[in-house]
Amino acid sequence: MSTLRLSGLKKAFDGHPVLHGIDLSVRSGSLVALLGPSGSGKTTLLRVLCGFERADAGTIEIDGRRVAGDGLHLPTEQRRIGYVPQEGALFPHLSVAENIVFGLPRAQRRAQHRVAELLDLVGLPESYATRAPQQLSGGQQQRVALARALAPSPGLVMLDEPFSSLDAALRVETREAVARALAAAGATAVLVTHDQAEALSLGHEVAVLWQGHVLQSAPPQTLYRRPATRELAAFIGEAVLLPGTVENGRAHCVLGALPIQQGAQADNGPVDVMLRPEQIDVLPESTQRDGALDAFVRDITFEGQDAALTLQLIDANTTVRARVPGYRTPREGERVRLAVGGEVSVYPR
Ligand code: ADP
Ligand code: MG
């Protein structure tokens, strides 16, 4: 287990800044999901951490020991970092076992050091050791790539979009296996992804990288409920944003006087009110409930498990988005009543 601390990390290519001063701490034994859109600098950050690229400024510390910064640039092999690259991770001409021991010293390579143990750790049968990578599914290949990264018992493991090429069903299964293996190995991990569901479900902490800046780093539920800015709110899932005002600790908007997230800064004055579509309960027209609002269903996007609705409020010239379980999808044009559950975030205007 290792701790990782970055401070003011910068990197440019040909004068074009890619990382603008990254600060990030990763607790020992935890998994940080680094979430960002394509081109935000995720791979560059991992490559700088691993030592494949040299930082232009800033420092990197592993277990309190500086590995980069102020002219220092320790080579990759002295950083004890395991790396699972984005694509083409395995050598096609080597067996699974040979792939796993590839980076180890010769004697350990000959002895197929810990191959059975590592296969077990990533949830694959020992008999796969002699197979060629092509004889495995995509998810199984990713598990072998992780086994290879874990073979030298690194303190830190970096994974670059390890599930992006897998189809939906395999992705969930593989990411659970990978999370289990990382926890069992006691590794501290940084997992890069552009998939917010993946980041929220896997990360103990999620750091959002946007155009080379870390905009917020927080536990998943905090990030989802209390995103630091409107833009982040819309990036992490879907956001309903409504103009309003804060008065006496409540957010007043067309949906009523709503309670504000605990711990949020909420001074009186004009704000944008943010809530999530699933916080809007869509009830039958006949429902009698304090504060419920009349609306009709303007538009439906049915997605199976749930459905996204556009609702027109009757007493205000406003539409809002709601999300309901698929089996409760109303009809288009139907009259309904709305009630808001949970707390909202506010952003001063
Ligand atoms: P991500 O992994 O988030 O998609 P990258 O770190 O791969 O983002 O890339 C971030 C930006 O840096 C992109 O604009 C990319 O073109 C640029 N970039 C990455 N590597 C290099 C390189 N070796 N030379 C020049 N530009 C690069
Ligand atoms: Mg990348």
Side-chain angles (χ1 to χ4, degrees):
M1 283 196 207
S2 297
T3 57
L4 171 67
R5 190 187 301 276
L6 323 180
S7 155
L9 206 66
K10 292 189 182 177
K11 178 71 186 170
F13 290 112
D14 312 319
H16 296 286
V18 174
L19 303 176
H20 290 264
I22 304 284
D23 297 317
L24 191 67
S25 288
V26 183
R27 266 183 300 118
S28 178
S30 73
L31 191 162
V32 164
L34 187 69
L35 173 66
S38 181
S40 56
K42 304 183 297 296
T43 296
T44 302
L45 180 56
L46 287 197
R47 291 179 57 79
V48 170
L49 291 179
C50 290
F52 306 139
E53 302 276 357
R54 194 182 268 268
D56 298 333
T59 57
I60 305 172
E61 282 178 12
I62 297 174
D63 288 332
R65 181 175 74 123
R66 184 163 297 189
V67 301
D70 296 334
L72 179 71
H73 178 79
L74 282 194
T76 304
E77 55 276 15
Q78 288 178 30
R79 298 187 185 196
R80 292 194 56 235
I81 296 180
Y83 181 54
V84 181
Q86 193 160 358
E87 265 158 29
L90 301 182
F91 300 109
H93 57 289
L94 298 181
S95 69
V96 164
E98 287 163 341
N99 265 285
I100 290 175
V101 298
F102 182 80
L104 297 177
R106 186 195 299 250
Q108 292 184 346
R109 249 182 5 239
R110 281 229 186 83
Q112 303 247 312
H113 182 69
R114 289 176 67 213
V115 165
E117 179 194 332
L118 287 160
L119 282 172
D120 185 51
L121 187 68
V122 297
L124 291 177
E126 214 182 304
S127 60
Y128 280 26
T130 53
R131 289 201 184 183
Q134 310 83 274
Q135 293 173 303
L136 305 183
S137 72
Q140 291 166 340
Q141 291 183 27
Q142 284 304 63
R143 296 190 201 197
V144 174
L146 177 63
R148 181 176 63 191
L150 291 172
S153 302
L156 286 169
V157 179
M158 312 275 155
L159 303 103
D160 196 351
E161 310 220 29
F163 316 116
S164 59
S165 62
L166 307 179
D167 60 50
L170 201 53
R171 200 178 310 157
V172 171
E173 183 191 315
T174 309
R175 77 188 181 205
E176 281 168 6
V178 164
R180 266 198 305 276
L182 288 169
T188 306
V190 178
L191 184 144
V192 156
T193 177
H194 65 267
D195 179 329
Q196 29 136 334
E198 193 166 293
L200 294 175
S201 63
L202 279 180
H204 300 123
E205 188 101 0
V206 179
V208 182
L209 187 67
W210 190 276
Q211 297 183 348
H213 299 269
V214 171
L215 296 187
Q216 187 173 6
S217 181
Q221 299 210 19
T222 307
L223 185 70
Y224 189 71
R225 291 189 185 141
R226 271 194 277 142
T229 65
R230 299 166 184 75
E231 293 73 25
L232 267 173
F235 177 62
I236 317 283
E238 202 181 341
V240 176
L241 283 159
L242 298 164
T245 51
V246 172
E247 277 167 49
N248 306 321
R250 290 217 157 217
H252 296 253
C253 64
V254 286
L255 295 178
L258 307 172
I260 297 170
Q261 294 284 350
Q262 289 182 16
Q265 174 86 16
D267 297 330
N268 284 353
V271 291
D272 286 325
V273 178
M274 193 288 288
L275 63 157
R276 300 298 186 179
E278 67 272 18
Q279 287 181 254
I280 299 179
D281 259 339
V282 180
L283 307 163
E285 189 185 2
S286 58
T287 307
Q288 298 299 319
R289 193 195 284 192
D290 275 359
L293 301 158
D294 293 308
F296 73 89
V297 180
R298 254 181 60 170
D299 188 53
I300 297 169
T301 307
F302 181 70
E303 294 170 4
Q305 188 182 348
D306 48 25
L309 311 177
T310 304
L311 302 159
Q312 170 78 53
L313 299 179
I314 303 290
D315 298 329
N317 188 19
T318 306
T319 60
V320 292
R321 297 271 287 173
R323 202 161 261 284
V324 297
Y327 75 93
R328 282 189 9 211
T329 309
R331 284 171 289 107
E332 212 168 295
E334 191 173 329
R335 280 286 291 258
V336 292
R337 306 207 80 205
L338 309 182
V340 175
E343 296 166 338
V344 301
S345 285
V346 292
Y347 303 103
R349 271 193 292 150

